[in-house]
Amino acid sequence: MVELQSNHALWASSFAQAAGDISAALVGRVDAIEHIGSTAVPGLPAKPIIDMAARSACGADPFAMGEALEGLGFALHGAGPKNHAVYVRSVDGRRTHILHVFREDQWPQCNQRLFRDKLLHDEDARRRYQQLKGEIAGTTEGRAYPAAKSSLIQELLDEERQRRGLQPMTAWDK
């Protein structure tokens, strides 16, 4: 069963601390780090996992940052998407942070950032997403939880991409 928590002020400080540590570990290899996911949206209940998006610097390989991140407790998520790198930090077997690293050319149209922005500026989208999350959290687990949200995420992402004059794109990374 997926456990959602009320939005917590510590999520922002946890992001800031992790972003600072990552920036120091990857100096010259990433040039931007942003808080994404539900923990980045004030008032939105979420799983207590801090999601982050980083933009790799010109010429830096997002998939070649594992060694530099190991000291921070991050490991490359080998089963993750193939279009960008994902590094996961776990404590006592529970994920605490997920770092998505995108190439610089992917950054302006990064779905994770666009979806976060949609939730930040569109009160109705945020309400609908929160309602759906509440309905499915107690009845789904593991991979079923994101799958149960996929239709609404795609709809909201399409709206945000259209608002920005971008072509529709599948929400799920491959």
Side-chain angles (χ1 to χ4, degrees):
M1 187 163 57
V2 172
E3 178 187 335
L4 297 179
Q5 295 182 4
S6 296
N7 194 278
H8 201 288
L10 290 178
W11 291 343
S13 61
S14 180
F15 160 75
Q17 177 67 49
D21 293 344
I22 291 164
S23 291
L26 297 176
V27 67
R29 295 166 79 181
V30 298
D31 57 19
I33 302 175
E34 295 182 3
H35 193 179
I36 58 170
S38 294
T39 61
V41 180
L44 187 63
K47 297 181 293 183
I49 301 169
I50 305 302
D51 288 300
M52 300 171 284
R55 179 179 59 205
S56 64
C58 183
D61 180 0
F63 292 93
M65 300 180 183
E67 188 173 318
L69 292 169
E70 283 178 2
L72 301 177
F74 283 90
L76 181 65
H77 183 54
K82 303 303 178 217
N83 66 347
H84 71 276
V86 177
Y87 298 89
V88 177
R89 179 194 289 174
S90 297
V91 174
D92 297 327
R94 292 190 71 158
R95 288 183 177 179
T96 61
H97 296 75
I98 300 174
L99 173 64
H100 300 259
V101 184
F102 298 91
R103 294 184 324 267
E104 64 180 328
D105 64 312
Q106 296 171 310
W107 191 252
Q109 296 186 35
C110 171
N111 285 338
Q112 290 84 343
R113 295 175 63 238
L114 297 177
F115 187 68
R116 176 219 41 214
D117 291 352
K118 175 73 169 173
L119 295 177
L120 287 172
H121 75 74
D122 186 328
E123 185 177 332
D124 184 59
R126 189 171 50 254
R127 179 195 56 73
R128 291 173 61 204
Y129 188 57
Q130 179 174 342
Q131 180 179 347
L132 177 62
K133 287 175 65 162
E135 290 170 2
I136 63 175
T139 60
T140 58
E141 51 187 273
R143 292 179 187 263
Y145 179 72
K149 300 185 302 179
S150 65
S151 291
L152 181 59
I153 289 171
Q154 187 67 59
E155 177 185 335
L156 298 176
L157 182 61
D158 287 346
E159 289 174 7
E160 183 65 13
R161 293 184 70 84
Q162 180 178 20
R163 186 181 78 82
R164 294 180 185 216
L166 301 171
Q167 294 294 318
M169 180 184 285
T170 303
W172 297 107
D173 297 313
K174 304 291 181 218

